[in-house]
Amino acid sequence: MPSPLDILNSVFGFPAFRGQQAEVISHVVAGGDALVLMPTGAGKSLCYQVPALCRSGVAVVVSPLIALMQNQVEALGQLGVRAAALNSARSFAEAGTIERRMRAGELDLVYVAPERLVTPGFLALLDTCRIALFAIDEAHCVSQWGHDFRPEYLQLALLRERFPAVPCVALTATADGPTRRDIVERLGLGDGRVFVAGFDRPNIRYRIAAKKNTREQLLRFLDAEHGGAGGDSGIVYCLSRAKVEETAAWLEEKGFAALAYHAGMDQAKRAANQERFLREDGVVMVATIAFGMGIDKPDVRFVAHLDLPKSLEAYYQETGRAGRDGLPANAWMAYGLEDVAKLGQFIAGSQASEAQKRIERLKLNALLGLCETTRCRRQVLLEYFGETGADPCGNCDTCLEPIASFDGTELARKALSCVYRTGESFGAGHVIDVLLGRDNDKIRRFGHHALSTFGIGTELSAEEWRSVLRQLVAAGLLSIDVEGHGAFRLTETCRPVLRGEVRVDLRRDPRPAGKAARGTKAKHSAQLATPDDEALFQRLRAERLALAKAQGVPPYVILHDATLADIARRRPRRSDELIGIAGLGDIKRERYGTVLLATVKAFEAEAGPSTAS
Ligand code: ADP
Ligand code: ZN
């Protein structure tokens, strides 16, 4: 039997296991059951794919989405692994061939939907096969506590009873405590081990900016960090369908390969756009949250939010679609008080029970806390998921440009009294006009120029007052009255502040437009040291795209960006110099080695000897 490390080196072309992979794999290879919790991009698939190749027989992988199965099968095929998917997309004849190959021991892995697995026909087929293991992907679907319950997963409990000698590994990226216990119980994994990796995604850089001119801010971000039009691929999330369409059209005008995706579009158009996003390089998908589930494209380099997500969980999940390949990626968000008002209105207007609405408001507040924190954003995020004690990360905006806080009690009192004096009936715009002592129709109509708070806030600009007001909302001193057109209301907690009994710390916002982007510029795509390496990398990507098109598969199925970057850095000239390049296993080296070497050679010949290192 080949060792797991041999398989990792020769088939997958990776030098070493990551995190808990080695432990999980040796446990499963030895026949043990396991529940594996790892964040997106940590490498869950290898936890069953390597054991599938070490143990004899076929591994049966349960997966809820046909698109995901298809991707995995294509990627495995590229590695020379014998894999197939049995689902409703297969014809009767195709299914028959797969079943015959399973019985003959000619398949290493077979992917199957849960509802098919539990049919009497399929179970009878399994009785005639040698089974290496069962893997249950997206295992949180078995739990009612999880966020995506699927009743057909419940029947998977029968696997443990019917095939007690076959090891079973369940995998998921998102499951809190109760969900985990539920999974173990429902799948009958009681004697198995639970492996939990942390939630951290260290390669994602978190950044949250105050909304000013959102589109221009987005454009600056894309230009500065992602090569502008024709650069990296990424996702831009918007709250409404209309905004998705507008933003996509606007980006297209600016020269981006931008596509739209939302639930209001017809099915065929949606599928076509998703397909282009997966198969072409450098596409920007502008979408509502309808997009993303089951997208395992590894080289999504950024996720931008133009509107606030609903909760920290949603933020974590949506930003988590960036950088699955482990290379640097950006999570960038612009937010303003109007978002808070809008989400508040959604909650108020929904059909949910009062208790449910209360929870949703708390979740929204936790997200505001992340937006307005002066601490490391990653620390705040991880603490929300129960991981305490992490050091400041050095890879978020507040770490990169530390935010000074100062005693803002006086400013807070001015703002709060102004809200009080104007009758708790106005939003940020008007309150700021009063603070600044501006003269306009609305001020005069309401007689607000006569208030004691008129013009008491001239030490700050309007923009700085906006920041103060946001922070007062995040701190719970002000609330936004969602029925009253977004007017500020004072809360109980602001009384001691008004009386001067409690100190309020505020952040000194260091972020004039565009500054956050400067000095923290992430390299385009793959962190290459010189423009020359970058040029070769782009050339290799073009070659890869041609190969992908010829085979009708997404480019990352052929080779990952990390692999191309490694080649651009190392400049191999002979085929033995390709050994040890990350992600280039035996079969891929055989298939693509010649093209890769030729590309490097042609590039160096053109560049001339002076630039060859
Ligand atoms: P998950 O399912 O946990 O989101 P995947 O299994 O898709 O993650 O793996 C994420 C990426 O990490 C893939 O591109 C995979 O090839 C890569 N990867 C996984 N394990 C390793 C490893 N040991 N060394 C290098 N790359 C790895
Ligand atoms: Zn940080």
Side-chain angles (χ1 to χ4, degrees), residues 8 62 81 89-90 118 133 146-147 182 194 213 260 352 355 372 388 424 426 485 492 499 502 510 528 534 556 565 589:
L8 183 75
V62 181
V81 174
R90 292 272 160 279
V118 297
L133 59 95
H147 55 80
D182 211 26
V194 179
N213 180 339
E372 290 299 343
T388 51
E424 302 178 62
F426 298 91
H485 308 290
E492 274 307 304
R499 288 197 297 264
V502 170
L528 288 156
E534 175 70 31
Y556 55 82
R589 213 166 48 242

Side-chain angles (χ1 to χ4, degrees), residues 6-200:
D6 289 341
I7 300 278
L8 183 75
N9 298 155
S10 66
V11 177
F12 295 90
F14 296 135
F17 286 113
R18 276 186 190 160
Q20 295 185 301
Q21 281 176 334
E23 256 183 288
V24 175
I25 289 167
S26 67
H27 177 75
V28 176
V29 169
D33 291 343
L35 169 61
V36 177
L37 277 116
M38 286 183 183
T40 304
K44 281 183 289 299
S45 324
L46 285 189
C47 292
Y48 62 84
Q49 288 169 350
V50 172
L53 298 176
C54 290
R55 292 176 60 89
S56 66
V58 61
V60 179
V61 185
V62 181
S63 175
L65 290 166
I66 294 184
L68 273 186
M69 293 186 196
Q70 217 46 51
N71 276 342
Q72 295 267 12
V73 168
E74 278 175 358
L76 288 166
Q78 288 287 330
L79 298 168
V81 174
R82 303 168 303 173
L86 265 176
N87 54 46
S88 51
R90 292 272 160 279
S91 70
F92 190 72
E94 286 170 330
T97 308
I98 293 171
E99 291 176 7
R100 186 192 53 70
R101 293 183 68 202
M102 282 173 71
R103 267 193 292 266
E106 290 170 12
L107 279 179
D108 302 311
L109 291 105
V110 61
Y111 286 77
V112 58
E115 56 275 18
R116 178 185 288 246
L117 177 71
V118 297
T119 57
F122 193 81
L123 290 170
L125 166 68
L126 288 183
D127 284 333
T128 66
C129 301
R130 188 175 180 117
I131 308 170
L133 59 95
F134 291 107
I136 299 173
D137 207 3
E138 312 287 349
H140 55 271
C141 294
V142 77
S143 170
Q144 255 130 343
W145 306 114
H147 55 80
D148 190 27
F149 174 58
R150 289 171 185 243
E152 61 274 22
Y153 260 66
L154 286 176
Q155 296 192 56
L156 296 175
L158 64 79
L159 290 179
R160 231 31 342 223
E161 291 153 24
R162 187 150 173 162
F163 306 95
V166 180
C168 180
V169 50
L171 311 103
T172 174
T174 38
D176 55 16
T179 313
R180 280 174 219 175
R181 287 190 285 281
D182 211 26
I183 296 171
V184 168
E185 193 174 313
R186 289 182 187 276
L187 294 179
L189 301 177
D191 300 328
R193 274 184 64 183
V194 179
F195 296 86
V196 184
F199 279 91
D200 191 18

Side-chain angles (χ1 to χ4, degrees), residues 375-442:
R375 300 171 56 215
C376 166
R377 304 238 193 243
R378 192 178 313 267
Q379 281 181 324
V380 174
L381 202 53
L382 292 177
E383 279 166 20
Y384 184 78
F385 291 109
E387 281 180 49
T388 51
D391 287 328
C393 74
N395 194 26
C396 70
D397 51 0
T398 50
C399 279
L400 291 164
E401 295 183 72
I403 289 169
S405 58
F406 65 100
D407 183 350
T409 313
E410 208 39 51
L411 292 175
R413 288 177 69 187
K414 285 182 178 177
L416 295 172
S417 6
C418 199
V419 170
Y420 178 69
R421 296 280 165 206
T422 50
E424 302 178 62
S425 314
F426 298 91
H430 187 70
V431 169
I432 291 172
D433 283 347
V434 176
L435 282 165
L436 294 178
R438 283 181 173 159
D439 180 24
N440 62 33
D441 278 355
K442 200 168 171 189

Side-chain angles (χ1 to χ4, degrees), residues 501-559:
E501 292 163 7
V502 170
R503 178 184 149 124
V504 179
D505 282 321
L506 293 177
R507 54 188 278 163
R508 201 179 297 283
D509 263 313
R511 294 182 270 157
K515 177 139 178 276
R518 230 179 291 142
T520 61
K521 181 167 173 175
K523 280 268 159 37
H524 179 49
S525 304
Q527 280 209 314
L528 288 156
T530 69
D532 209 39
D533 288 355
E534 175 70 31
L536 174 53
F537 173 69
Q538 293 303 345
R539 180 101 161 230
L540 290 161
R541 286 181 99 192
E543 281 302 329
R544 175 182 67 178
L545 189 59
L547 291 167
K549 286 221 164 111
Q551 297 182 45
V553 297
Y556 55 82
V557 166
I558 305 276
L559 292 166

